[in-house]
């Protein structure tokens, strides 16, 4: 006696060696003996052999007209034996029974399983839907195969080009476009990015990086809907000052300006004036919604995506020649000792006399001219001299709190892109194409004008942070518990010391035109200026306001992404610069894990031969290749420039210099060519 049984959805047959009430011992043709539950045994037969039943049954099953048996099958539940007798004959043999069983199992969209060898035919409407789905899947499989063939042949189908960034970075792994790319990469045995590039899916490396960012963070584009800048309705007094700003020439969002009063009187009032969009833009208004959606201006070499529309920015920016609404902090100092004797916040109109541009003045306004060691033949010389003296004093005080001086081991790098018309792309407002001539400049961190502005902003942000806390008004603070490695700056709604800055508390409130948290803090500061001790009742955001926590979370996410994008675009232009300047060798300092940092360019990359060298070793590196798409740099160490010392042994500990951003390595894709591809014939589950 032989038996055919169901083994987890696969039919097997063999000789029955023994039989009990609930199970059988069956010997397969291979000689293996298996214990089979009686409920899984579907056909018992004496002849032909088990292998013939399986082989002949499978062959006959393929010839069974499934539409016909669906038509003749009863409406109620039935067994495969009954249908075999209806289809073949009343004396259907084991092969014919096996054929019917296999056919019913293979067509679950026609017949639903109902237990041991029993079935029920699918209702007509459900069957039609299933057949449509199967045909659609079949056509999709053919389409995937055709697209994959086109890609391998160097042609990119338009649907794949349209979904390029989704396929590479946020793929729907069931989507036909994604599957076609995976199939083409497997067939051609090539990396997906190379395959797509050669097929014309990527217009240019620059556009690839820029549009990738827009896809992720600006899926509807970087433009603004039509909005009007609301007017400031407050009757603001005119300040009796002559204020000046200090910014780069390309800065259009001029948030801050300075003034100095009382020089020579023994008591000097230092004014820090911040643009006041909060006096016009109300929380929840259309313009506020635009700022909250973006959270910050996005910066990149030669271009930027502003947080607010340009018309709005120009309404509130501190442009010279205007009396500009501002939130002003006046801090009074003893002129001799620079001790603080008082502070006051005012809402007012501030005459902006000049917009100074540090990139044009850095070589003129220097430490020597500001300290009286050299002639100071420029506007605001006395005011700038006091501001510089105060800045150095404030910095020294912060360094006492920090416990160590602030050090700037590396310069700031500036990028200027020159278009075909010879103009700076930032000045002509035209989006770069990626083919511009790039000029990379350096500027020593902590230069005189930088120091003046930086210390003034720290003074304002720390003072206002303390004032908010004193009045019980919540704000968005930045704090750092200590300077120990790994202790990062965090944002919260409560004041806490900022070890890195060396201040008791620190907010961001001095850039309300380009950072949303600054605008939020300015609303709170304005409430304090208007309401004093009752400000907590009038401020837009109350203590433990869930909205503040949401803003912090959204800002953190967006700001980190924007900074990462800026770094990756700077890396792109630095790689471009290597080619434009014909640079094949660079002097570098060794970091960790085989990384090196270029001495004169903002570039960190892996170099073969750097793994076993100590940190800070000076080496010459040869660039053997670059990839503008992946932002990868291929290089190897060709010489060590300093002398090895005994202390080199084991000098591999990391430090602050080794905090490398994600953009220090190649681009990471979300596409996986090892993804399993379901068979085109797979049927949907019943």
């Amino acid at each position: 006696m032989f038996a055919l049984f169901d083994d987890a959805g696969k039919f097997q047959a063999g000789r029955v060696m023994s039989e009990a009430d609930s199970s059988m011992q069956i010997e397969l043709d291979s000689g293996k003996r298996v214990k089979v539950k009686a409920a899984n045994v579907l056909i018992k037969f004496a002849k032909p052999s088990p292998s013939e039943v399986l082989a002949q049954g499978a062959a006959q099953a393929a010839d069974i007209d499934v539409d016909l048996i669906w038509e003749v099958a009863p409406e109620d539940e039935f067994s495969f034996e009954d249908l075999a007798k209806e289809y073949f004959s009343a004396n259907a043999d084991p092969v014919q029974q096996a054929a019917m069983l296999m056919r019913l199992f293979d067509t679950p969209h026609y017949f639903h399983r109902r237990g041991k060898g029993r079935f029920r035919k699918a209702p007509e409407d459900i069957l039609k839907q299933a057949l449509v789905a199967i045909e659609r899947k079949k056509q999709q499989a053919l389409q995937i195969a055709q697209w994959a063939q086109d890609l391998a042949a160097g042609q990119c189908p338009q649907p794949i080009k349209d979904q390029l960034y989704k396929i590479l970075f946020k793929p729907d792994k069931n989507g036909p476009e994604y599957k076609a790319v995976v199939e083409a990469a497997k067939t051609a045995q090539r990396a997906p990015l190379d395959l797509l590039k050669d097929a014309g899916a990527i217009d240019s490396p620059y556009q690839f990086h820029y549009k990738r960012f827009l896809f992720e963070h600006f899926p509807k584009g970087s433009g603004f809907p039509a909005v009007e800048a609301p007017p400031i309705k407050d009757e603001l007094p005119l300040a009796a000052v002559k204020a000046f700003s200090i910014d780069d020439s390309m800065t259009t969002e001029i948030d801050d300006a300075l003034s100095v009063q009382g020089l020579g009187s023994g008591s000097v009032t230092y004014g820090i004036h911040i643009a006041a969009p909060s006096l016009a833009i109300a929380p929840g208004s259309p313009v506020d919604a635009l700022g909250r959606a973006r959270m910050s201006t996005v910066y990149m070499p030669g271009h930027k995506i502003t947080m607010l529309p340009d018309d709005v920015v120009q309404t509130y920016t501190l442009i010279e020649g205007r009396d500009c609404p501002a939130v002003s902090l006046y801090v009074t100092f003893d002129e001799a000792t620079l001790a603080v004797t008082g502070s006051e916040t005012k809402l007012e109109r501030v005459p902006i006399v000049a917009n100074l541009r540090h990139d044009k003045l850095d070589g003129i306004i220097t430490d020597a001219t500001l300290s009286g060691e050299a002639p100071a033949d420029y506007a605001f010389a006395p005011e700038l001299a006091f501001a510089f003296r105060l800045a150095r004093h404030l910095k020294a005080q912060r360094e006492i709190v920090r416990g160590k001086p602030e050090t700037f081991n590396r310069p700031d790098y500036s990028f200027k892109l020159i278009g075909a018309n010879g103009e700076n792309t930032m000045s002509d407002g035209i989006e770069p194409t990626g083919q511009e001539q790039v000029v990379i400049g350096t500027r020593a961190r902590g230069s005189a004008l930088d120091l003046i502005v930086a210390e003034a902003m720290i003074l304002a942000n720390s003072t206002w942070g303390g004032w908010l806390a004193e009045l019980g008004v919540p704000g968005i603070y930045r704090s750092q518990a200590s300077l120990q490695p790994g202790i990062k700056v965090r944002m919260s709604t409560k004041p806490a010391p900022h070890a890195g800055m060396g201040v008791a508390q620190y907010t961001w409130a001095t850039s309300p035109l380009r950072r949303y948290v600054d605008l939020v803090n300015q609303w709170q500061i304005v409430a304090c200026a208007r309401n004093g001790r009752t400000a907590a009742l009038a401020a837009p955001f109350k203590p433990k306001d869930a909205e503040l926590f949401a803003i912090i979370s959204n800002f953190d996410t967006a700001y980190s992404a924007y900074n990462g994008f800026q770094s990756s675009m700077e890396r792109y232009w630095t790689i471009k610069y290597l080619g434009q300047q014909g640079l094949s060798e660079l002097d570098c300092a060794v970091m960790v894990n085989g990384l090196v940092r270029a001495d004169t360019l903002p570039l960190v990359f892996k170099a073969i031969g750097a793994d076993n060298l100590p940190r800070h070793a000076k080496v010459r590196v040869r660039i053997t290749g670059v990839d503008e798409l992946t932002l990868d740099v291929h290089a190897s160490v060709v010489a060590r420039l300093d002398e090895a010392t005994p202390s080199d042994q084991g000098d591999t500990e990391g430090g602050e210099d080794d905090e490398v951003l994600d953009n220090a390595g190649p681009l990471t894709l979300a596409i996986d060519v090892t993804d399993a591809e379901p068979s085109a014939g797979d049927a949907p589950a019943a």
Side-chain angles (χ1 to χ4, degrees):
M1 177 66 66
F2 305 115
L4 182 149
F5 61 94
D6 177 8
D7 181 15
K10 179 182 179 182
F11 294 119
Q12 300 208 61
R15 182 183 300 275
V16 177
M17 304 305 294
S18 64
E19 183 174 359
D21 291 341
S22 61
S23 65
M24 292 182 183
Q25 283 284 343
I26 298 178
E27 183 181 68
L28 304 178
D29 284 350
S30 64
K32 180 182 178 182
R33 292 190 179 188
V34 294
K35 184 178 181 180
V36 179
K37 291 181 179 180
N40 292 336
V41 176
L42 300 170
I43 304 174
K44 293 180 182 179
F45 57 97
K47 61 179 182 178
S49 69
S51 60
E52 289 176 315
V53 167
L54 290 174
Q56 293 175 22
Q60 289 192 29
D63 294 331
I64 294 176
D65 186 337
V66 69
D67 290 304
L68 176 59
I69 61 174
W70 184 86
E71 289 286 349
V72 302
E75 296 296 329
D76 296 330
E77 194 177 292
F78 60 90
S79 70
F80 71 93
E81 297 103 326
D82 294 339
L83 195 58
K85 292 175 182 178
E86 181 76 22
Y87 185 78
F88 290 106
S89 73
N91 299 317
D93 61 30
V95 170
Q96 291 170 330
Q97 290 182 37
M100 183 58 69
L101 176 63
M102 293 176 183
R103 190 58 167 156
L104 292 172
F105 255 76
D106 289 342
T107 53
H109 42 296
Y110 280 89
F111 299 98
H112 299 169
R113 298 165 195 167
R114 285 293 181 266
K116 179 184 176 181
R118 300 191 66 78
F119 298 85
R120 186 166 188 165
K121 71 178 186 180
E124 185 175 4
D125 57 337
I126 294 177
L127 175 61
K128 286 181 178 179
Q129 292 175 18
L131 292 175
V132 168
I134 290 170
E135 180 61 25
R136 183 167 58 244
K137 188 171 183 180
K138 179 182 176 182
Q139 293 302 318
Q140 187 180 87
L142 293 173
Q143 181 68 82
I144 289 170
Q146 183 60 55
W147 283 345
Q149 184 179 338
D150 291 344
L151 281 172
Q155 299 174 354
C156 184
Q158 191 61 41
I160 290 178
K161 189 171 185 178
D162 292 343
Q163 291 201 31
L164 174 67
Y165 303 100
K166 181 178 180 181
I167 291 168
L168 291 176
F169 301 104
K170 280 191 172 181
D172 170 9
K173 295 191 176 183
N174 291 317
E177 295 84 1
Y178 176 85
K179 291 181 177 179
V181 174
V182 170
E183 185 175 322
K186 288 178 179 177
T187 302
Q189 295 186 331
R190 300 187 62 196
L193 198 57
D194 291 338
L195 189 75
L196 289 163
K197 178 180 67 174
D198 291 345
I202 298 169
D203 297 324
S204 75
Y206 178 83
Q207 287 299 313
F208 173 74
H209 294 298
Y210 184 53
K211 289 181 179 177
R212 172 171 65 95
F213 173 75
L214 294 182
F215 164 78
E216 176 77 23
H217 298 283
F218 294 85
K220 296 181 180 179
S222 59
F224 289 99
V227 293
E228 290 188 7
I232 295 175
K233 298 178 180 179
D234 300 61
E235 290 293 332
L236 301 174
L238 182 64
V241 299
K242 295 180 179 179
F244 54 90
S245 66
I246 305 172
D247 291 282
D248 183 88
S249 293
M250 295 300 106
T251 299
T252 56
E253 303 148 295
I254 303 175
D255 291 291
D256 54 86
L258 304 173
S259 66
V260 181
Q261 303 174 76
L263 288 174
S265 68
S267 179
V268 177
T269 301
Y270 194 42
I272 303 167
H273 313 283
I274 307 301
S278 65
L279 296 178
I281 301 170
S285 66
V287 177
D288 170 47
L290 296 179
R292 185 175 293 203
R294 299 197 175 191
M295 286 291 168
S296 171
T297 289
V298 183
Y299 295 96
M300 68 202 86
H303 192 48
K304 65 181 176 181
I305 303 172
T306 57
M307 181 180 78
L308 297 171
D310 188 59
D311 288 348
V312 174
V313 170
Q314 294 310 309
T315 299
Y316 311 117
T317 190
L318 303 183
I319 194 166
E320 65 185 11
R322 292 198 317 208
D323 298 337
C324 299
V327 180
S328 298
L329 173 66
Y330 291 101
V331 183
T332 305
F333 295 91
D334 181 283
E335 192 169 7
T337 65
L338 296 181
V340 175
T341 58
S343 65
E344 182 182 15
T345 297
K346 293 182 178 181
L347 310 180
E348 58 188 2
R349 288 180 297 122
V350 176
I352 306 299
V353 178
N355 295 141
L356 305 181
R357 304 298 185 175
H358 62 63
D359 51 311
K360 296 180 179 180
L361 296 172
D362 274 345
I364 299 172
I365 302 176
T366 64
D367 290 21
T369 63
L370 290 168
S371 59
E373 297 172 7
D377 186 17
Y378 44 76
F380 304 104
E383 291 86 350
L384 287 168
F386 175 82
F388 182 60
R389 175 180 163 229
L390 176 62
R392 289 196 295 185
H393 171 75
L394 294 173
K395 182 173 183 287
Q397 286 187 315
R398 291 192 301 103
E399 288 178 341
I400 292 172
V401 177
R402 289 180 88 248
K404 61 180 181 179
E406 288 181 322
T407 56
F408 303 110
N409 298 322
R410 295 188 300 274
D412 278 332
Y413 290 95
S414 62
F415 291 78
K416 184 165 65 174
L417 306 185
I418 307 301
N421 59 1
E423 294 291 327
N424 186 333
T425 57
M426 285 292 275
S427 62
D428 61 21
I430 298 175
E431 182 184 314
T433 65
Q435 297 305 314
E436 289 78 7
Q437 186 74 23
V438 56
V439 178
I440 300 178
T442 59
R443 188 157 161 264
R445 298 175 75 182
S447 65
L449 291 178
D450 272 349
L451 182 66
I452 289 172
V453 174
E455 291 300 330
M457 298 310 111
I458 294 171
L459 175 63
N461 285 320
S462 58
T463 302
W464 276 331
W467 193 38
L468 289 173
E470 179 188 341
L471 296 180
V473 176
I476 297 177
Y477 292 87
R478 294 175 65 81
S479 62
Q480 186 179 20
S482 78
L483 292 178
Q484 294 298 315
I487 305 298
K488 297 184 177 180
V489 174
R490 58 185 296 270
M491 300 181 76
S492 67
T493 60
K494 293 183 178 179
H498 193 305
M501 306 295 293
V503 293
Q505 66 280 315
Y506 189 72
T507 61
W508 263 350
T510 54
S511 296
L513 294 174
R514 44 189 165 181
R515 278 194 310 241
Y516 189 73
V517 293
D518 298 55
L519 179 60
V520 169
N521 280 330
Q522 192 177 83
W523 278 320
Q524 303 294 86
I525 292 165
V526 166
C528 293
R530 286 173 170 165
N531 301 281
R533 291 291 171 186
T534 62
L537 300 174
F541 299 96
K542 305 299 187 286
K544 297 182 180 180
D545 195 321
E547 238 187 314
L548 273 183
F549 294 104
I551 290 168
I552 288 174
S553 176
N554 294 338
F555 178 83
D556 251 345
T557 301
Y559 203 64
S560 295
Y562 296 172
N563 284 339
F565 171 65
Q566 179 179 352
S567 296
S568 66
M569 294 309 289
E570 288 178 355
R571 185 177 180 87
Y572 167 82
W573 284 110
T574 304
I575 289 173
K576 198 81 175 173
Y577 180 85
L578 294 176
Q580 292 178 355
Q581 299 297 318
L583 296 176
S584 60
E585 291 189 352
L586 295 173
D587 290 349
C588 303
V590 174
M591 300 175 71
V592 291
N593 301 323
L595 292 169
V596 297
R597 187 192 299 277
D599 288 349
T600 58
L601 290 173
L603 190 62
V604 172
F605 53 97
K606 282 204 168 189
I608 297 172
D611 303 70
N612 299 320
L613 293 174
R615 290 179 65 243
H616 310 312
K618 305 297 291 184
V619 293
R620 179 155 295 144
V621 172
R622 178 170 295 135
I623 308 296
T624 56
V626 298
D627 190 323
E628 293 179 5
L629 271 183
T630 64
L631 301 179
D632 203 3
V633 176
H634 306 285
S636 58
V637 175
V638 294
R640 181 164 179 179
L641 303 179
D642 57 353
E643 293 185 4
T645 65
S647 63
D648 284 356
Q649 190 69 29
D651 182 16
T652 57
E653 292 187 8
E656 289 182 5
D657 275 0
D658 297 323
E659 291 182 5
V660 182
L661 297 175
D662 290 340
N663 72 313
L667 190 68
T668 301
L669 305 180
I671 191 169
D672 184 0
V673 295
T674 64
D675 284 341
E677 175 65 27
S679 168
D682 286 350

